[in-house]
Amino acid sequence: TFDLNDDGVSVFTTTLTIDASETFSDTAATASVLTATPLAIASGSVMTIDIDVAGTSAEGAKLYLIGYATAKP
C-alpha cells in the first residue's frame, strides 16, 4: 500500500493499493479513497510518500501526481 501525505497528514481515508499480479491501482480489490475531492493542496505544502506494505515482488513503483493551480496566494 502507498500513502501520500500533505504536511504529514494522509490525503487518503483508504490508502492506495496495487494487488498481486497487477500493474495499476485502478483494478485493486479495495479502491483508494481521498479525504476530499477535489483535493486542495496549499502552496508550499510538503508532500511525502509512504510505502506501508511492499509485496514480495514489489519493485519499480512510480507515482504520478497530476493537478493544476486554481489560484495564486
Side-chain angles (χ1 to χ4, degrees), residues 52-69:
D52 297 327
V53 177
T56 56
S57 63
E59 62 182 52
K62 296 177 184 176
L63 179 66
Y64 296 93
L65 300 177
I66 301 171
Y68 57 91

Side-chain angles (χ1 to χ4, degrees), residues 3-73:
D3 197 3
L4 178 64
N5 301 294
D6 179 1
D7 288 329
V9 178
S10 179
V11 301
F12 293 108
T13 56
T14 304
T15 54
L16 185 139
T17 62
I18 300 174
D19 295 335
S21 303
E22 297 289 336
T23 307
F24 300 99
S25 63
D26 60 344
T27 57
T30 303
S32 60
V33 179
L34 292 169
T35 55
T37 43
L39 183 64
I41 299 172
S43 177
S45 287
V46 174
M47 304 301 293
T48 57
I49 301 165
D50 297 333
I51 301 172
D52 297 327
V53 177
T56 56
S57 63
E59 62 182 52
K62 296 177 184 176
L63 179 66
Y64 296 93
L65 300 177
I66 301 171
Y68 57 91
T70 56
K72 289 188 176 185

